[in-house]
Amino acid sequence: MAIFTTLDDLAQEIKDGTLIVLPPDYSNVPIAAVFALIRRRVKGLHLLFAPIGGIAGDLLIGAGCVKTLEAAAITMGEAGLAPRFSEAVQTNSIKIKDSTCPAIHTALQASEKGVPFMPLRGLIGSDVLNNRPDWQVITDPFDENHGPIVLLPAIQPDIALIHTRLADREGNVWIGKRRELVTMAHAAKTTFVTVEEIQEENLLEDERTATGTLPDMYIGAIARAKKGCWPLGLAGHYVPDGKAITEYVEAAKTQAGFEEWLEAHSVPQ
Amino acid sequence: MAIFTTLDDLAQEIKDGTLIVLPPDYSNVPIAAVFALIRRRVKGLHLLFAPIGGIAGDLLIGAGCVKTLEAAAITMGEAGLAPRFSEAVQTNSIKIKDSTCPAIHTALQASEKGVPFMPLRGLIGSDVLNNRPDWQVITDPFDENHGPIVLLPAIQPDIALIHTRLADREGNVWIGKRRELVTMAHAAKTTFVTVEEIQEENLLEDERTATGTLPDMYIGAIARAKKGCWPLGLAGHYVPDGKAITEYVEAAKTQAGFEEWLEAHSVPQ
Amino acid sequence: MNCNQEEFLICTIATLLESSQHVAVGMASPVPGSAALLAREETKGRIDGLRLSMIGGDANNPFTDGGRELFDCSGQGRFDTFFLGGVQIDGQANINLVGTGEYPAMERRFPGSFGSAYMYFVVPKVILFRPEHTRRVFVPEVDFISAPGTSEEGVYRPGGPHALVTELCLMIFDRKRKRFQLASVHPGHSVEEVLDNTGFEFDIPETVPETLGPTDHRLELLRTQISPKIAKTYPEFVARVFETAD
Amino acid sequence: MNCNQEEFLICTIATLLESSQHVAVGMASPVPGSAALLAREETKGRIDGLRLSMIGGDANNPFTDGGRELFDCSGQGRFDTFFLGGVQIDGQANINLVGTGEYPAMERRFPGSFGSAYMYFVVPKVILFRPEHTRRVFVPEVDFISAPGTSEEGVYRPGGPHALVTELCLMIFDRKRKRFQLASVHPGHSVEEVLDNTGFEFDIPETVPETLGPTDHRLELLRTQISPKIAKTYPEFVARVFETAD
């Protein structure tokens, strides 16, 4: 039931306060849509990364769009620490829900399955758990030794926001082997997608492409965005622009530098 | 770490009493391997279907290979009831663990995740639950109304046994969009595979095939078996042999008829 | 226009789907599948047009994440309508797909509960479809509850039985009162016949209408547009039922 | 043959992998990744040869089921060896990847715990790798426990810390005693230097050997066979570290 729209109209449909889930840096990050969200001055987002964020999170935090952030980490990789993220946490200007990679995968899987929680090993004795009053420790009812186990509540994002190479006219979306995008889309109420291309042939009709296709049942809106991951890469299509990312990290060390960089790059396309 | 072997040697590696998981009738059922198991007179199998069985289960039950059966249903589809299964249950000669489709998927997912259990909605008030002392009902700790929820213990099969069209020389196995095979393989300690063909090119090296490939990490043994699903079909390759299935159901109405049918069909290949 | 029993039942079910948004159809369900295809065809082009997801075969099968995806979607609330049957069905809408006699070594064993013990709880509108209308099927109390018709308070249960379609009649289930009510009787049959062949008690309103038969337009649509579509999944069913269309 | 610090550390870690069966390597881990590739090359062709799964990049990445597969496999017990680091590490082998100061508004914030709060519990042999050997890193008590080094009885914990590799030394962790023991000091460094730069207490045996440097054969293997493989995932690292190989 996907609606085909423009990038800025898609961003308009993402309301203030929405719980958005974004993919990790190595995979299909919709930076063009992030710029569109910043242009429309979205406020109070609850931003979840599945499970690690990078420049997408730093941009939205720097632009004042984020109220709450949940991630296992925010990193600019080789380029260093994420400057707007670090400052926002250090100044307590966003609420941070520190997590760990498998806990986020698990909470999304719980939503995907429509169950209220899922258990996960580990965690016990960590300050990650100690700072998550929403997580519960119970006695494992299947353990003869009555050991503890953590239960993680399901997280149902309002919107999963992703970029991919290709969609078809029916609204089916190619995701290839990036199956964390499948979990995100299944877990979320709906999925908004930016794409490089839209093709006429139905992706589900050829088993080779069907295998890596997210069916339109999960998709709410599709908009074209050429090089929609820039300055990040899109696997098999274009590589990350390391120079631009390094320049960003340098510029964004101050809020003024961040805003200058943003003005130069967040232009309507 | 797949070993390439023959069909009968693969069957020899499946010991008496093994917990085997088999796929549903519409997908990649390794009937040639089932015949090989019957030839080697395997005993005391714990047979799990993910989640529905058909002729594979009926054959193994009729041949006296099965001690315990767990499935959401055993059906011969249009051809009617499964005769050896029905009689075995009616005469109490196998132990039946009646389940329901999503409960089996969930218990396998729990094993895939390495967690001791997963919750599932529904079930409460059913005689499926009432006859499963291994399932537990707890008070949902996330429910403000303190409602009940069922916890299902993980099922870790010793061996997932499947048939697919193609493997490569590295031991990677093509499964296409039949992703229940992925869950089965991840959940099981190891996976034994019969295939129509083995190709030289690495399936993981092309993203189109990588997407539908089960990596060799999960694979224990691979053997060739041409038309390895017969009389069932292999999607996109050959269709079920409806006539043979109907003849089987007719013949297997008596144990004598079953054994006659088996002798005529379970020949070494 | 004359129609055969399957065509009549398909159209009766299609009418029940008029307010459905997303219908899921399980394995081995040619009549519900045809009804859903028909209802979809009739709402085609409308913004709130019916959406259909069928497992079993590749046609109209949108699933790409394995056998669990149908159930996961149901848990997520993506479907509002599903179909179930029963070897036995009782007056509380409990259904039995496992067998008759005492469990486990039953007198007559059937395939098993399939996904019913879950789907009946989570899909809002479950339509029970069981053509054979006899006291063998419609019993005072089922021998094995594959899935209960109703649940105690506190049990998570957004879903449950909505209607029962048989070869004789249409009943609607009242979840609060936990009872079926006769809604209409098919042409050529009577309330007495329904009473004689039903082993459980149910409510009978003062006047019981006759089930409306298919319009000529609908029958033509079914025979010309829907039968080739259902044939992709159920060729034998189409060959048997729609032979009049040749 | 002379070698640089990264080459030395790669070879030191490779030696620790000699009894490993299946090594998993996470994101942004060029030194552990190189060590694992080297150890695999050295056991190639043996039935019990080392197996390696790397995330980050497509090379040596066998995963086809999304981001959770690495963690699921770890939960299944398919890996026996993994690597973690730390902004701070203390004498109980607690690691901190989140930041320094009081949580949450810390003085200095780092990326976050990644998968450590899980992997440290479930992978049998976790090798801690942190080149910078200072009292800033090796503290009496970490400011935030991303993952604890040990757990109370009753907590499911097949995994945990095995060794710590720094620019100065190799320590081995004793899980029962919950303490590190100095195992060897790298050439050119001393026990005193390790003591001066470590903020936590640890055990020092009577004689502390010097860490064995790489053999010429191993160095050549690393520079000629391994560097092109690691370059597929970490081209900048290879360009910087293995320039001597040109």
Side-chain angles (χ1 to χ4, degrees), chain B residues 1 112-114 179 185-186 188-189 210 213 215-218, chain D residues 22 51 53 62-65 68-69 72-73 75-76 78 118:
Chain B
M1 255 123 22
E112 175 181 47
K113 261 201 117 47
R179 294 198 73 85
H186 289 185
K189 289 177 195 160
T213 293
D216 78 307
M217 182 190 342
Y218 302 101
Chain D
H22 193 163
R51 195 180 166 86
S53 297
F63 299 111
T64 60
D65 204 23
R68 67 179 168 78
E69 190 176 4
D72 288 357
C73 280
Q76 293 154 21
R78 292 191 197 265
Y118 181 73

PDB file of all heavy atoms in Angstrom, chain B residues 1 112-114 179 185-186 188-189 210 213 215-218, chain D residues 22 51 53 62-65 68-69 72-73 75-76 78 118:
ATOM      1  N   MET B   1      31.816 -25.942   7.138  1.00  0.00           N
ATOM      2  CA  MET B   1      32.641 -27.132   7.313  1.00  0.00           C
ATOM      3  C   MET B   1      31.928 -28.391   6.811  1.00  0.00           C
ATOM      4  O   MET B   1      31.926 -29.422   7.443  1.00  0.00           O
ATOM      5  CB  MET B   1      33.010 -27.278   8.765  1.00  0.00           C
ATOM      6  CG  MET B   1      34.428 -26.877   8.963  1.00  0.00           C
ATOM      7  SD  MET B   1      34.868 -25.614  10.103  1.00  0.00           S
ATOM      8  CE  MET B   1      33.589 -25.460  11.252  1.00  0.00           C
ATOM      9  N   GLU B 112      17.644 -20.604  17.710  1.00  0.00           N
ATOM     10  CA  GLU B 112      18.462 -19.771  16.815  1.00  0.00           C
ATOM     11  C   GLU B 112      19.118 -18.633  17.584  1.00  0.00           C
ATOM     12  O   GLU B 112      20.264 -18.277  17.340  1.00  0.00           O
ATOM     13  CB  GLU B 112      17.558 -19.204  15.702  1.00  0.00           C
ATOM     14  CG  GLU B 112      18.255 -18.230  14.768  1.00  0.00           C
ATOM     15  CD  GLU B 112      17.326 -17.676  13.696  1.00  0.00           C
ATOM     16  OE1 GLU B 112      16.195 -17.255  14.037  1.00  0.00           O
ATOM     17  OE2 GLU B 112      17.719 -17.671  12.513  1.00  0.00           O
ATOM     18  N   LYS B 113      18.391 -18.022  18.500  1.00  0.00           N
ATOM     19  CA  LYS B 113      18.900 -16.886  19.262  1.00  0.00           C
ATOM     20  C   LYS B 113      19.727 -17.319  20.464  1.00  0.00           C
ATOM     21  O   LYS B 113      20.314 -16.477  21.136  1.00  0.00           O
ATOM     22  CB  LYS B 113      17.723 -16.063  19.803  1.00  0.00           C
ATOM     23  CG  LYS B 113      17.398 -14.858  18.978  1.00  0.00           C
ATOM     24  CD  LYS B 113      16.622 -13.816  19.722  1.00  0.00           C
ATOM     25  CE  LYS B 113      17.385 -12.530  19.841  1.00  0.00           C
ATOM     26  NZ  LYS B 113      18.006 -12.046  18.611  1.00  0.00           N
ATOM     27  N   GLY B 114      19.725 -18.606  20.784  1.00  0.00           N
ATOM     28  CA  GLY B 114      20.451 -19.045  21.971  1.00  0.00           C
ATOM     29  C   GLY B 114      19.801 -18.585  23.258  1.00  0.00           C
ATOM     30  O   GLY B 114      20.479 -18.362  24.252  1.00  0.00           O
ATOM     31  N   ARG B 179      12.800 -19.276   3.609  1.00  0.00           N
ATOM     32  CA  ARG B 179      13.623 -18.887   4.748  1.00  0.00           C
ATOM     33  C   ARG B 179      13.328 -19.662   6.022  1.00  0.00           C
ATOM     34  O   ARG B 179      14.092 -19.576   6.992  1.00  0.00           O
ATOM     35  CB  ARG B 179      13.560 -17.375   4.980  1.00  0.00           C
ATOM     36  CG  ARG B 179      14.195 -16.628   3.809  1.00  0.00           C
ATOM     37  CD  ARG B 179      14.541 -15.216   4.143  1.00  0.00           C
ATOM     38  NE  ARG B 179      15.679 -15.127   5.021  1.00  0.00           N
ATOM     39  CZ  ARG B 179      16.951 -15.130   4.631  1.00  0.00           C
ATOM     40  NH1 ARG B 179      17.258 -15.222   3.362  1.00  0.00           N
ATOM     41  NH2 ARG B 179      17.909 -15.035   5.512  1.00  0.00           N
ATOM     42  N   ALA B 185      18.090 -24.325  10.096  1.00  0.00           N
ATOM     43  CA  ALA B 185      19.538 -24.556  10.095  1.00  0.00           C
ATOM     44  C   ALA B 185      20.220 -23.803  11.227  1.00  0.00           C
ATOM     45  O   ALA B 185      21.130 -24.326  11.874  1.00  0.00           O
ATOM     46  CB  ALA B 185      20.133 -24.143   8.750  1.00  0.00           C
ATOM     47  N   HIS B 186      19.774 -22.570  11.465  1.00  0.00           N
ATOM     48  CA  HIS B 186      20.369 -21.806  12.565  1.00  0.00           C
ATOM     49  C   HIS B 186      20.060 -22.453  13.910  1.00  0.00           C
ATOM     50  O   HIS B 186      20.865 -22.424  14.839  1.00  0.00           O
ATOM     51  CB  HIS B 186      19.835 -20.375  12.571  1.00  0.00           C
ATOM     52  CG  HIS B 186      20.341 -19.530  11.431  1.00  0.00           C
ATOM     53  ND1 HIS B 186      20.053 -18.197  11.314  1.00  0.00           N
ATOM     54  CD2 HIS B 186      21.108 -19.829  10.365  1.00  0.00           C
ATOM     55  CE1 HIS B 186      20.626 -17.714  10.226  1.00  0.00           C
ATOM     56  NE2 HIS B 186      21.273 -18.673   9.629  1.00  0.00           N
ATOM     57  N   ALA B 188      19.407 -25.660  14.541  1.00  0.00           N
ATOM     58  CA  ALA B 188      19.935 -27.011  14.725  1.00  0.00           C
ATOM     59  C   ALA B 188      21.438 -26.981  14.999  1.00  0.00           C
ATOM     60  O   ALA B 188      22.137 -26.041  14.638  1.00  0.00           O
ATOM     61  CB  ALA B 188      19.651 -27.851  13.489  1.00  0.00           C
ATOM     62  N   LYS B 189      21.921 -28.059  15.620  1.00  0.00           N
ATOM     63  CA  LYS B 189      23.364 -28.156  15.846  1.00  0.00           C
ATOM     64  C   LYS B 189      24.099 -28.212  14.510  1.00  0.00           C
ATOM     65  O   LYS B 189      25.159 -27.629  14.353  1.00  0.00           O
ATOM     66  CB  LYS B 189      23.687 -29.402  16.681  1.00  0.00           C
ATOM     67  CG  LYS B 189      23.230 -29.264  18.126  1.00  0.00           C
ATOM     68  CD  LYS B 189      23.506 -30.536  18.918  1.00  0.00           C
ATOM     69  CE  LYS B 189      22.732 -30.525  20.233  1.00  0.00           C
ATOM     70  NZ  LYS B 189      22.592 -31.878  20.795  1.00  0.00           N
ATOM     71  N   ALA B 210      23.786 -14.641  -2.996  1.00  0.00           N
ATOM     72  CA  ALA B 210      24.145 -14.610  -1.564  1.00  0.00           C
ATOM     73  C   ALA B 210      22.904 -14.440  -0.698  1.00  0.00           C
ATOM     74  O   ALA B 210      22.758 -15.065   0.356  1.00  0.00           O
ATOM     75  CB  ALA B 210      25.132 -13.477  -1.285  1.00  0.00           C
ATOM     76  N   THR B 213      21.258 -17.652   0.213  1.00  0.00           N
ATOM     77  CA  THR B 213      22.215 -18.725   0.482  1.00  0.00           C
ATOM     78  C   THR B 213      22.411 -18.935   1.980  1.00  0.00           C
ATOM     79  O   THR B 213      22.526 -17.986   2.746  1.00  0.00           O
ATOM     80  CB  THR B 213      23.569 -18.405  -0.187  1.00  0.00           C
ATOM     81  OG1 THR B 213      23.387 -18.454  -1.601  1.00  0.00           O
ATOM     82  CG2 THR B 213      24.648 -19.404   0.213  1.00  0.00           C
ATOM     83  N   PRO B 215      25.016 -20.109   4.557  1.00  0.00           N
ATOM     84  CA  PRO B 215      26.477 -20.266   4.522  1.00  0.00           C
ATOM     85  C   PRO B 215      26.933 -21.613   5.101  1.00  0.00           C
ATOM     86  O   PRO B 215      26.252 -22.195   5.945  1.00  0.00           O
ATOM     87  CB  PRO B 215      26.985 -19.122   5.399  1.00  0.00           C
ATOM     88  CG  PRO B 215      25.821 -18.297   5.772  1.00  0.00           C
ATOM     89  CD  PRO B 215      24.569 -19.037   5.446  1.00  0.00           C
ATOM     90  N   ASP B 216      28.082 -22.059   4.654  1.00  0.00           N
ATOM     91  CA  ASP B 216      28.572 -23.396   5.012  1.00  0.00           C
ATOM     92  C   ASP B 216      28.835 -23.560   6.500  1.00  0.00           C
ATOM     93  O   ASP B 216      28.946 -24.690   6.982  1.00  0.00           O
ATOM     94  CB  ASP B 216      29.845 -23.718   4.223  1.00  0.00           C
ATOM     95  CG  ASP B 216      31.063 -23.031   4.802  1.00  0.00           C
ATOM     96  OD1 ASP B 216      31.015 -21.797   4.982  1.00  0.00           O
ATOM     97  OD2 ASP B 216      32.050 -23.719   5.095  1.00  0.00           O
ATOM     98  N   MET B 217      28.916 -22.450   7.232  1.00  0.00           N
ATOM     99  CA  MET B 217      29.089 -22.508   8.682  1.00  0.00           C
ATOM    100  C   MET B 217      28.069 -23.431   9.353  1.00  0.00           C
ATOM    101  O   MET B 217      28.352 -24.044  10.376  1.00  0.00           O
ATOM    102  CB  MET B 217      28.909 -21.081   9.216  1.00  0.00           C
ATOM    103  CG  MET B 217      29.092 -20.935  10.687  1.00  0.00           C
ATOM    104  SD  MET B 217      28.596 -19.309  11.392  1.00  0.00           S
ATOM    105  CE  MET B 217      28.516 -18.171  10.060  1.00  0.00           C
ATOM    106  N   TYR B 218      26.885 -23.491   8.776  1.00  0.00           N
ATOM    107  CA  TYR B 218      25.799 -24.266   9.385  1.00  0.00           C
ATOM    108  C   TYR B 218      25.705 -25.696   8.850  1.00  0.00           C
ATOM    109  O   TYR B 218      24.895 -26.477   9.322  1.00  0.00           O
ATOM    110  CB  TYR B 218      24.460 -23.563   9.135  1.00  0.00           C
ATOM    111  CG  TYR B 218      24.424 -22.150   9.670  1.00  0.00           C
ATOM    112  CD1 TYR B 218      24.583 -21.052   8.829  1.00  0.00           C
ATOM    113  CD2 TYR B 218      24.258 -21.912  11.028  1.00  0.00           C
ATOM    114  CE1 TYR B 218      24.561 -19.753   9.320  1.00  0.00           C
ATOM    115  CE2 TYR B 218      24.247 -20.617  11.535  1.00  0.00           C
ATOM    116  CZ  TYR B 218      24.399 -19.542  10.670  1.00  0.00           C
ATOM    117  OH  TYR B 218      24.390 -18.263  11.170  1.00  0.00           O
TER     118      TYR B 218
ATOM    119  N   HIS D  22      36.801 -21.308  15.941  1.00  0.00           N
ATOM    120  CA  HIS D  22      36.032 -20.379  15.105  1.00  0.00           C
ATOM    121  C   HIS D  22      36.094 -18.997  15.747  1.00  0.00           C
ATOM    122  O   HIS D  22      35.545 -18.756  16.805  1.00  0.00           O
ATOM    123  CB  HIS D  22      34.581 -20.858  14.979  1.00  0.00           C
ATOM    124  CG  HIS D  22      33.815 -20.135  13.904  1.00  0.00           C
ATOM    125  ND1 HIS D  22      32.637 -20.594  13.379  1.00  0.00           N
ATOM    126  CD2 HIS D  22      34.070 -18.982  13.238  1.00  0.00           C
ATOM    127  CE1 HIS D  22      32.196 -19.757  12.448  1.00  0.00           C
ATOM    128  NE2 HIS D  22      33.044 -18.768  12.359  1.00  0.00           N
ATOM    129  N   ARG D  51      38.626 -21.289  11.739  1.00  0.00           N
ATOM    130  CA  ARG D  51      37.577 -20.731  10.923  1.00  0.00           C
ATOM    131  C   ARG D  51      37.374 -19.288  11.353  1.00  0.00           C
ATOM    132  O   ARG D  51      37.483 -18.971  12.537  1.00  0.00           O
ATOM    133  CB  ARG D  51      36.303 -21.531  11.163  1.00  0.00           C
ATOM    134  CG  ARG D  51      35.254 -21.299  10.166  1.00  0.00           C
ATOM    135  CD  ARG D  51      34.012 -22.099  10.442  1.00  0.00           C
ATOM    136  NE  ARG D  51      33.004 -21.520   9.611  1.00  0.00           N
ATOM    137  CZ  ARG D  51      32.824 -21.869   8.352  1.00  0.00           C
ATOM    138  NH1 ARG D  51      33.514 -22.857   7.831  1.00  0.00           N
ATOM    139  NH2 ARG D  51      31.931 -21.242   7.609  1.00  0.00           N
ATOM    140  N   SER D  53      35.040 -15.594  10.854  1.00  0.00           N
ATOM    141  CA  SER D  53      33.886 -14.842  10.352  1.00  0.00           C
ATOM    142  C   SER D  53      34.040 -13.385  10.752  1.00  0.00           C
ATOM    143  O   SER D  53      34.105 -13.063  11.938  1.00  0.00           O
ATOM    144  CB  SER D  53      32.584 -15.415  10.934  1.00  0.00           C
ATOM    145  OG  SER D  53      32.400 -16.751  10.509  1.00  0.00           O
ATOM    146  N   PRO D  62      30.487 -14.231   6.213  1.00  0.00           N
ATOM    147  CA  PRO D  62      29.604 -15.284   5.730  1.00  0.00           C
ATOM    148  C   PRO D  62      28.139 -15.031   6.061  1.00  0.00           C
ATOM    149  O   PRO D  62      27.306 -15.893   5.830  1.00  0.00           O
ATOM    150  CB  PRO D  62      30.095 -16.502   6.515  1.00  0.00           C
ATOM    151  CG  PRO D  62      30.467 -15.916   7.838  1.00  0.00           C
ATOM    152  CD  PRO D  62      30.963 -14.508   7.562  1.00  0.00           C
ATOM    153  N   PHE D  63      27.802 -13.875   6.608  1.00  0.00           N
ATOM    154  CA  PHE D  63      26.464 -13.696   7.165  1.00  0.00           C
ATOM    155  C   PHE D  63      25.460 -13.261   6.090  1.00  0.00           C
ATOM    156  O   PHE D  63      25.737 -12.381   5.292  1.00  0.00           O
ATOM    157  CB  PHE D  63      26.509 -12.680   8.305  1.00  0.00           C
ATOM    158  CG  PHE D  63      27.397 -13.111   9.436  1.00  0.00           C
ATOM    159  CD1 PHE D  63      28.585 -12.462   9.707  1.00  0.00           C
ATOM    160  CD2 PHE D  63      27.049 -14.202  10.216  1.00  0.00           C
ATOM    161  CE1 PHE D  63      29.413 -12.861  10.742  1.00  0.00           C
ATOM    162  CE2 PHE D  63      27.871 -14.624  11.262  1.00  0.00           C
ATOM    163  CZ  PHE D  63      29.053 -13.950  11.520  1.00  0.00           C
ATOM    164  N   THR D  64      24.323 -13.915   6.081  1.00  0.00           N
ATOM    165  CA  THR D  64      23.281 -13.583   5.103  1.00  0.00           C
ATOM    166  C   THR D  64      21.925 -13.403   5.781  1.00  0.00           C
ATOM    167  O   THR D  64      20.899 -13.463   5.129  1.00  0.00           O
ATOM    168  CB  THR D  64      23.146 -14.689   4.031  1.00  0.00           C
ATOM    169  OG1 THR D  64      22.809 -15.927   4.684  1.00  0.00           O
ATOM    170  CG2 THR D  64      24.418 -14.869   3.232  1.00  0.00           C
ATOM    171  N   ASP D  65      21.925 -13.201   7.104  1.00  0.00           N
ATOM    172  CA  ASP D  65      20.635 -13.064   7.775  1.00  0.00           C
ATOM    173  C   ASP D  65      20.562 -11.807   8.629  1.00  0.00           C
ATOM    174  O   ASP D  65      19.877 -11.765   9.650  1.00  0.00           O
ATOM    175  CB  ASP D  65      20.337 -14.324   8.612  1.00  0.00           C
ATOM    176  CG  ASP D  65      18.833 -14.497   8.842  1.00  0.00           C
ATOM    177  OD1 ASP D  65      18.040 -13.958   8.046  1.00  0.00           O
ATOM    178  OD2 ASP D  65      18.458 -15.147   9.825  1.00  0.00           O
ATOM    179  N   ARG D  68      21.593  -9.318  13.147  1.00  0.00           N
ATOM    180  CA  ARG D  68      21.485 -10.142  14.354  1.00  0.00           C
ATOM    181  C   ARG D  68      22.218 -11.467  14.243  1.00  0.00           C
ATOM    182  O   ARG D  68      22.441 -12.132  15.260  1.00  0.00           O
ATOM    183  CB  ARG D  68      20.024 -10.383  14.700  1.00  0.00           C
ATOM    184  CG  ARG D  68      19.282 -11.231  13.715  1.00  0.00           C
ATOM    185  CD  ARG D  68      17.813 -11.450  14.136  1.00  0.00           C
ATOM    186  NE  ARG D  68      17.069 -12.029  13.045  1.00  0.00           N
ATOM    187  CZ  ARG D  68      17.120 -13.314  12.697  1.00  0.00           C
ATOM    188  NH1 ARG D  68      17.894 -14.148  13.370  1.00  0.00           N
ATOM    189  NH2 ARG D  68      16.436 -13.758  11.683  1.00  0.00           N
ATOM    190  N   GLU D  69      22.626 -11.866  13.029  1.00  0.00           N
ATOM    191  CA  GLU D  69      23.156 -13.226  12.855  1.00  0.00           C
ATOM    192  C   GLU D  69      24.436 -13.450  13.651  1.00  0.00           C
ATOM    193  O   GLU D  69      24.630 -14.515  14.245  1.00  0.00           O
ATOM    194  CB  GLU D  69      23.381 -13.528  11.366  1.00  0.00           C
ATOM    195  CG  GLU D  69      23.691 -14.996  11.112  1.00  0.00           C
ATOM    196  CD  GLU D  69      23.812 -15.325   9.626  1.00  0.00           C
ATOM    197  OE1 GLU D  69      23.726 -14.405   8.788  1.00  0.00           O
ATOM    198  OE2 GLU D  69      24.025 -16.516   9.305  1.00  0.00           O
ATOM    199  N   ASP D  72      23.253 -13.999  17.155  1.00  0.00           N
ATOM    200  CA  ASP D  72      22.560 -15.283  17.258  1.00  0.00           C
ATOM    201  C   ASP D  72      23.559 -16.438  17.254  1.00  0.00           C
ATOM    202  O   ASP D  72      23.476 -17.353  18.071  1.00  0.00           O
ATOM    203  CB  ASP D  72      21.565 -15.442  16.103  1.00  0.00           C
ATOM    204  CG  ASP D  72      20.346 -14.544  16.248  1.00  0.00           C
ATOM    205  OD1 ASP D  72      20.239 -13.836  17.267  1.00  0.00           O
ATOM    206  OD2 ASP D  72      19.498 -14.546  15.339  1.00  0.00           O
ATOM    207  N   CYS D  73      24.513 -16.382  16.330  1.00  0.00           N
ATOM    208  CA  CYS D  73      25.547 -17.427  16.254  1.00  0.00           C
ATOM    209  C   CYS D  73      26.325 -17.513  17.560  1.00  0.00           C
ATOM    210  O   CYS D  73      26.685 -18.603  18.002  1.00  0.00           O
ATOM    211  CB  CYS D  73      26.550 -17.120  15.148  1.00  0.00           C
ATOM    212  SG  CYS D  73      25.969 -17.559  13.533  1.00  0.00           S
ATOM    213  N   GLY D  75      25.199 -16.688  20.504  1.00  0.00           N
ATOM    214  CA  GLY D  75      24.297 -17.312  21.473  1.00  0.00           C
ATOM    215  C   GLY D  75      24.199 -18.816  21.278  1.00  0.00           C
ATOM    216  O   GLY D  75      24.015 -19.574  22.234  1.00  0.00           O
ATOM    217  N   GLN D  76      24.322 -19.253  20.023  1.00  0.00           N
ATOM    218  CA  GLN D  76      24.286 -20.682  19.702  1.00  0.00           C
ATOM    219  C   GLN D  76      25.599 -21.379  20.060  1.00  0.00           C
ATOM    220  O   GLN D  76      25.691 -22.605  19.957  1.00  0.00           O
ATOM    221  CB  GLN D  76      24.039 -20.882  18.192  1.00  0.00           C
ATOM    222  CG  GLN D  76      22.679 -20.460  17.675  1.00  0.00           C
ATOM    223  CD  GLN D  76      22.721 -20.096  16.197  1.00  0.00           C
ATOM    224  OE1 GLN D  76      23.615 -20.502  15.450  1.00  0.00           O
ATOM    225  NE2 GLN D  76      21.761 -19.309  15.745  1.00  0.00           N
ATOM    226  N   ARG D  78      28.472 -20.936  18.342  1.00  0.00           N
ATOM    227  CA  ARG D  78      29.230 -21.303  17.133  1.00  0.00           C
ATOM    228  C   ARG D  78      30.622 -20.691  17.088  1.00  0.00           C
ATOM    229  O   ARG D  78      31.452 -21.124  16.299  1.00  0.00           O
ATOM    230  CB  ARG D  78      28.446 -20.930  15.876  1.00  0.00           C
ATOM    231  CG  ARG D  78      27.189 -21.780  15.700  1.00  0.00           C
ATOM    232  CD  ARG D  78      26.541 -21.629  14.332  1.00  0.00           C
ATOM    233  NE  ARG D  78      25.193 -22.111  14.359  1.00  0.00           N
ATOM    234  CZ  ARG D  78      24.821 -23.353  14.007  1.00  0.00           C
ATOM    235  NH1 ARG D  78      25.708 -24.213  13.583  1.00  0.00           N
ATOM    236  NH2 ARG D  78      23.561 -23.716  14.075  1.00  0.00           N
ATOM    237  N   TYR D 118      26.736  -8.335  25.657  1.00  0.00           N
ATOM    238  CA  TYR D 118      26.255  -9.683  25.340  1.00  0.00           C
ATOM    239  C   TYR D 118      27.415 -10.622  25.013  1.00  0.00           C
ATOM    240  O   TYR D 118      27.559 -11.696  25.587  1.00  0.00           O
ATOM    241  CB  TYR D 118      25.304  -9.604  24.151  1.00  0.00           C
ATOM    242  CG  TYR D 118      24.712 -10.929  23.749  1.00  0.00           C
ATOM    243  CD1 TYR D 118      23.737 -11.532  24.529  1.00  0.00           C
ATOM    244  CD2 TYR D 118      25.130 -11.579  22.592  1.00  0.00           C
ATOM    245  CE1 TYR D 118      23.184 -12.749  24.172  1.00  0.00           C
ATOM    246  CE2 TYR D 118      24.585 -12.796  22.222  1.00  0.00           C
ATOM    247  CZ  TYR D 118      23.615 -13.377  23.016  1.00  0.00           C
ATOM    248  OH  TYR D 118      23.068 -14.582  22.661  1.00  0.00           O
TER     249      TYR D 118
END
